Amino acid sequence: MKLDGKVALITGGGSGLGRQSAQLFASEGASIAVVDIDPERAAGTVDLVEQQGGKAIAITADVSVEQEIVDAVAATVDAFGKLDIAFANAGVISRGGVPSVAGGEVVEFQDLTDGDWQAVLGVNLSGVFYTAKAAVPALRANGGGVILATSSAASLQAYHGIAMYSATKAGVNGLVRGLSLDLGRYGIRVNAIAPTHGMSPNFLMPAGSPVVGQSYEETAGPWDSGISPISLKLNRPPSLRDNAHAALFLVSDDSAYISGVTLPTTDGGTLSRVGMWFPEDQGTPTLTADA
């Protein structure tokens, strides 16, 4: 097993990619600390991990509050004796979201407030910073380890209506590059994934909504690759597990000499066309949100 005997802390572990990663990492031998702001969601992930024979604990924490993440790391070490992997996965979308996907309000940039900015900044960038900072002492004590962050394709290409979100995710990419240089001397690798497809509808739903457990594409109805805007044509829709497998690769020894990398987990055709569509792309594309 790729993570046999490892201990992984996953923020935003109560739903979406965090929940899928918790289940996948556990199936590969890891003990999991499921960190989420929603205690019921965290407990739900723990139940799923235990049902498959794994070990997990639930920790309630707000990643935008540094002390709560410090306490979460301490609770993980108390429960399992060490920390090998810190997956800073928690994220929130800008107010208004991606209008063509969410069907919600269109919020003009000039109408966004400082509160809107601080909310996105606090979770998406400060939350990654706090998680990495809190994890480093435990990782160093363990002789090294891995920090992984969830960035976004929106950090690499433009999406309508989420400039603040894009800015915070681009900041994650810069933080990953800088930390990889600074922390490599301690045997700590730092990377990120940048998903486009195969992410959870919960990302655009109100807090407390039931956990969907599937990707946008899986919940959209019968799959027809012929009408999908995704350039790569396969006989099934992208899933949460596709992104979780990319995360698994970057936290396992399969990527032992990879650090400072933001890996886009999408097909290149889609990534290249998010910001610009060419004449051969007929019709109006449907944008797909990410986390």
Side-chain angles (χ1 to χ4, degrees), residues 30-47:
S31 299
I32 312 296
V34 181
V35 180
D36 203 279
I37 197 170
D38 185 326
E40 292 185 4
R41 286 186 174 185
T45 299
V46 169
D47 287 343

Side-chain angles (χ1 to χ4, degrees), residues 118-149:
Q118 297 300 330
V120 177
L121 180 66
V123 175
N124 293 355
L125 186 52
S126 295
V128 175
F129 167 70
Y130 294 148
T131 302
K133 182 183 176 187
V136 165
L139 295 176
R140 287 186 62 181
N142 196 40
V146 182
I147 297 169
L148 180 66

